[in-house]
Amino acid sequence: MIAQDAIIYWLRNDLLVFAISFLIAGIVIPKIILIAFRKNLFDDVNERKIHRGVVPRLGGIAFFPALLFSMALVIAANIRLDDGLMSFAVNGRLMPFLFEVCAIILLYLVGIADDLIGVKYRAKFVVQIFSATLIVCSGMYISDFYGMLWLNQLPLLLSWFFTVLVVVYVVNAINLIDGIDGLASGLSTIALAFYAVVFFIGGEFIYSMLAAATAGTLFPFFYYNVFGDAKRQKKIFMGDTGALTTGMVLVFCAVAVMCARPDFLTDHYNPAIVALSPLVIPCFDVFRVYFHRVRRRRNPFLPDKCHIHHKLLALGMNQRAALLTILAASLLFIGTNVLVSPCINPNLILLIDIFLWTVGNMALTKAIRHREHRLHTSLYD
């Protein structure tokens, strides 16, 4: 049981890193918009894009500096005060955190390059694999499935390989789900808030601060992305820079949950379910899209309009309605999965999630085809 004074102490630190990240991102993002319009740095408009008009896609440039500054400042200030609590919490967590920072830097740089001049997907994969390898080098790797897929302890080499695969997959899933205003940032904020609470309750306070700091960068971006007016030059996208940075933080949090000490989760909550539930929608969606492309003999790495948000738009929803629908679905997956994880086999939970996702997509496709037939046009491919 955490003492009340310790709860107040760590809650204050979480709120501080959130507020500092929020403040920095809130100041920097409008400046990025201003510079982007002065230098004509805009997102291309084509038949696949949903937005109309010129919109900068450099919002993610603000993410990493804001979260790193807030984390470094709060940790250093507390250690300087020599109260002992921060030094104790950092012990054993510093090396994974520093490797995570290195991994984010690599993705941050390749994201900037891609947003400015474009980077081939093969080159991005190489950087992503190397970044994932850094996470494994920190000692953070998935060695136990906790019964998921009827597996428990994995051999060491297989643990390393699987962790690299998971990191690359999740990072790309977050990048690919970024298709309508607020979707990637909204899903990520929900997941980060969930991870922050889980880490806080479990006593992994440094990781809780990391999740809170990252969430703090997303709030001001969400405002400019969703409510900003492109005609008034107040709108911005996160681009690959923001999606890759956020994706790396999210997958690091997921891996950290699965690597935590044995007493981290109480009441028999399954770590695999807790770790993966916030990522269900982006991970399920990218798998379905890749399968759809391969089945139609298309390059699975080339973009199209097959994602879940495209299906909702084809059904006649506007972007706001589609956004709220997907965010509500994410909250439903997280809440239901975690609540039932102490009493239901993790494989049954996974099968139910897959069933619900599959049936939901089939129902959407049927409704879209019916609407196409009624309107005598093609709305979805």
Side-chain angles (χ1 to χ4, degrees), residues 206-249:
I206 298 301
Y207 300 150
S208 179
M209 289 171 60
L210 175 62
T214 309
T217 67
L218 293 175
F219 265 76
F221 167 79
F222 185 88
Y223 171 79
Y224 283 101
N225 182 229
V226 176
F227 302 104
D229 188 347
K231 295 180 180 178
R232 298 176 59 191
Q233 300 184 357
K234 296 294 184 181
K235 191 178 186 69
I236 195 168
F237 300 143
M238 69 166 60
D240 272 30
T241 310
L244 295 176
T245 299
T246 305
M248 179 54 76
V249 175

Side-chain angles (χ1 to χ4, degrees), residues 54-101:
V54 292
V55 180
R57 58 175 182 176
L58 301 173
I61 289 178
F63 292 3
F64 178 59
L67 74 90
L68 181 61
F69 180 85
S70 64
M71 287 286 293
L73 179 63
V74 172
I75 291 174
N78 279 278
I79 292 177
R80 180 63 176 171
L81 293 173
D82 195 27
D83 53 20
L85 284 176
M86 183 62 73
S87 298
F88 177 79
V90 170
N91 185 34
R93 310 296 182 270
L94 183 60
M95 185 170 64
F97 175 74
L98 292 178
F99 272 101
E100 165 72 352
V101 169

Side-chain angles (χ1 to χ4, degrees), residues 24 42 46 76 91 109 146 197 229 233 242 249 251 261 266-267 276 287 345:
I24 294 175
F42 306 121
N46 54 46
N91 185 34
L109 293 175
Y146 300 96
V197 172
D229 188 347
Q233 300 184 357
V249 175
V251 74
R261 64 188 188 279
T266 59
D267 298 327
L276 300 179
F287 181 83
N345 185 280

Side-chain angles (χ1 to χ4, degrees), residues 48-50 176 179-180 183 285 288-289 293 303-317 322 326 368 379-381:
R48 189 179 61 85
K49 298 296 178 65
I50 295 171
L176 292 171
I180 59 175
L183 184 53
D285 187 59
R288 183 192 61 80
V289 168
R293 293 170 184 171
D304 54 23
K305 299 179 71 172
C306 296
H307 291 279
I308 183 65
H309 47 275
H310 292 127
K311 298 183 78 169
L312 293 175
L313 294 175
L315 195 60
M317 290 187 180
I326 298 173
I368 292 168
L379 301 170
Y380 169 71
D381 183 13

Side-chain angles (χ1 to χ4, degrees), residues 86-327:
M86 183 62 73
S87 298
F88 177 79
V90 170
N91 185 34
R93 310 296 182 270
L94 183 60
M95 185 170 64
F97 175 74
L98 292 178
F99 272 101
E100 165 72 352
V101 169
C102 293
I104 294 175
I105 288 174
L106 290 178
L107 295 184
Y108 180 77
L109 293 175
V110 77
I112 292 175
D114 191 42
D115 290 335
L116 292 176
I117 60 175
V119 178
K120 293 183 178 179
Y121 67 84
R122 291 186 182 88
K124 287 194 284 187
F125 266 124
V126 171
V127 177
Q128 290 167 7
I129 291 171
F130 185 74
S131 299
T133 304
L134 290 177
I135 302 302
V136 173
C137 290
S138 74
M140 300 276 286
Y141 50 85
I142 302 170
S143 60
D144 194 336
F145 271 37
Y146 300 96
M148 182 76 75
L149 301 178
W150 296 273
L151 297 173
N152 287 290
Q153 290 290 333
L154 297 178
L156 187 60
L157 290 178
L158 184 57
S159 298
W160 294 347
F161 173 79
F162 182 75
T163 303
V164 170
L165 181 65
V166 167
V167 171
V168 173
Y169 185 86
V170 172
V171 167
N172 280 282
I174 299 300
N175 193 17
L176 292 171
I177 202 71
D178 185 23
I180 59 175
D181 294 343
L183 184 53
S185 56
L187 288 172
S188 298
T189 300
I190 290 172
L192 289 164
F194 174 77
Y195 286 133
V197 172
V198 169
F199 287 132
F200 188 90
I201 294 173
E204 296 287 353
F205 300 112
I206 298 301
Y207 300 150
S208 179
M209 289 171 60
L210 175 62
T214 309
T217 67
L218 293 175
F219 265 76
F221 167 79
F222 185 88
Y223 171 79
Y224 283 101
N225 182 229
V226 176
F227 302 104
D229 188 347
K231 295 180 180 178
R232 298 176 59 191
Q233 300 184 357
K234 296 294 184 181
K235 191 178 186 69
I236 195 168
F237 300 143
M238 69 166 60
D240 272 30
T241 310
L244 295 176
T245 299
T246 305
M248 179 54 76
V249 175
L250 285 171
V251 74
F252 178 83
C253 289
V255 174
V257 170
M258 297 187 71
C259 292
R261 64 188 188 279
D263 62 342
F264 173 65
L265 294 173
T266 59
D267 298 327
H268 307 289
Y269 289 105
N270 187 287
I273 296 297
V274 173
L276 300 179
S277 291
L279 306 174
V280 161
I281 286 183
C283 289
F284 279 18
D285 187 59
V286 73
F287 181 83
R288 183 192 61 80
V289 168
Y290 274 40
F291 178 77
H292 178 83
R293 293 170 184 171
V294 171
R295 188 181 63 178
R296 297 201 171 194
R297 297 182 179 180
R298 298 174 178 172
N299 188 331
F301 300 106
L302 293 182
D304 54 23
K305 299 179 71 172
C306 296
H307 291 279
I308 183 65
H309 47 275
H310 292 127
K311 298 183 78 169
L312 293 175
L313 294 175
L315 195 60
M317 290 187 180
N318 58 35
Q319 286 199 51
R320 297 278 177 85
L323 170 65
L324 292 174
T325 300
I326 298 173
L327 295 185

